[in-house]
Amino acid sequence: MLLAIDCGNTNTVFSIWDGERFIATWRTSTEWQRTADQYYVWLSTLMRFQNVDVMIDEVIVSSTVPRVVFNLRVFADRYYNCRPLVVGKPDCLLPTAPRVDAGTQVGPDRLVNAAGAFDRHGGNLIVVDFGTATTFDVVAEDGAYVGGVIAPGVNLSLEALHNAAAALPHVDITQPQRVIGTNTVACMQSGVFWGYIGLVREICARIKAERDVPMQVIATGGLAPLFQQAEALFDAFEDDLTMHGLTVIHKYNKDNA
């Protein structure tokens, strides 16, 4: 049984894959100080609570926070007696190698998204991931990651407004009823919501023009449905794209061991 771990800047997701589907998924905050023993106590408690009685013997990790990888390696070795595959490390093979500038280190999350999206939708894709940062990953016809765009995340932008301007409150992102706000909260929500609609549409349009081929736009991340309901920005939404990409990469490594 495979345990797939996606460690992002804000949250870490653990999912158990039985070869055909994810049978359980849990989420926790990302904390680099968390030890291997703490990971195990947390995960095993949740597994018992939800009556998930399986034997994990394989682990794959994608982490945008390098400091957590060591403890996740210890966690896999100590409690599941296996050496985890870590995306981005030399011993973790990719279905198609990225084509970027020499010496460039591509974020593991972007490699995983590219693999997962290509497996489900084929090539010539733009993958928009609404995470701590809003990223645009360009996937070529053969499935290779060939570059992209990084913009501040939606919630990061709201936090920056709140922290940098003393008079501006903390607000949650939502679709405003009108573009022109008549109070501070509505003004902030309109600026961020419609600003990101414009950002996504413009960046995707420029990527398509630069690539000069028909491309699908695939969205992932929790806020994607919110933006999609206002404007037809995406051709598809995948809520488990990153986790699916981890299973694709794991299978490729097993098949080519």
Side-chain angles (χ1 to χ4, degrees):
M1 200 72 70
L2 173 67
L3 175 62
I5 304 173
D6 172 37
C7 179
N9 291 297
T10 303
N11 293 312
T12 300
V13 180
F14 290 69
S15 289
I16 297 177
W17 174 256
D18 69 359
E20 295 183 356
R21 64 187 181 93
F22 289 109
I23 61 174
T25 296
W26 302 278
R27 183 182 301 267
T28 185
S29 59
T30 298
E31 297 177 9
W32 68 265
Q33 304 98 327
R34 187 171 289 157
T35 66
D37 300 328
Q38 288 174 314
Y39 279 120
Y40 180 72
V41 169
W42 172 80
L43 183 61
S44 59
T45 300
L46 287 172
M47 290 175 67
R48 285 196 302 271
F49 181 75
Q50 295 187 9
N51 296 315
V52 179
D53 186 13
V54 297
M55 182 174 291
I56 295 168
D57 56 7
E58 296 176 297
V59 178
I60 184 169
V61 177
S62 168
S63 178
T64 59
V65 185
R67 297 179 77 178
V68 308
V69 173
F70 173 78
N71 282 328
L72 288 173
R73 283 186 183 274
V74 175
F75 161 73
D77 178 63
R78 180 176 298 167
Y79 293 104
Y80 301 118
N81 195 31
C82 69
R83 178 180 175 85
L85 272 176
V86 180
V87 179
K89 299 298 183 182
D91 61 342
C92 182
L93 305 176
L94 297 173
T96 309
R99 294 195 291 273
V100 294
D101 293 345
T104 299
Q105 186 172 359
V106 181
D109 56 330
R110 310 186 80 178
L111 298 173
V112 172
N113 281 349
F118 180 73
D119 184 67
R120 285 181 170 172
H121 299 279
N124 290 324
L125 305 174
I126 303 169
V127 181
V128 185
D129 189 348
F130 291 89
T132 304
T134 300
T135 59
F136 300 75
D137 302 324
V138 180
V139 183
E141 185 176 7
D142 64 350
Y145 171 87
V146 293
V149 176
I150 301 175
V154 177
N155 288 318
L156 193 63
S157 295
L158 285 168
E159 285 294 330
L161 276 174
H162 170 62
N163 292 332
L168 297 180
H170 173 79
V171 300
D172 293 324
I173 185 65
T174 187
Q175 181 179 352
Q177 294 182 342
R178 303 174 59 190
V179 176
I180 302 173
T182 54
N183 57 68
T184 301
V185 170
C187 289
M188 292 174 66
Q189 289 176 331
S190 183
V192 172
F193 182 84
W194 293 111
Y196 272 84
I197 291 285
L199 180 144
V200 171
R201 181 185 289 115
E202 182 67 13
I203 288 179
C204 287
R206 289 182 177 272
I207 290 173
K208 290 177 180 179
E210 193 168 292
R211 296 288 292 174
D212 196 27
V213 293
M215 303 184 77
Q216 294 184 79
V217 181
I218 313 300
T220 191
L223 289 176
L226 173 65
F227 290 100
Q228 179 72 346
Q229 72 182 18
E231 300 283 323
L233 295 174
F234 316 119
D235 297 295
F237 167 68
E238 301 280 2
D239 62 348
D240 65 343
L241 184 64
T242 303
M243 305 313 290
H244 176 68
L246 284 171
T247 68
V248 171
I249 292 173
H250 177 263
K251 183 177 185 303
Y252 181 80
N253 279 264
K254 285 194 71 173
D255 292 345
N256 292 272

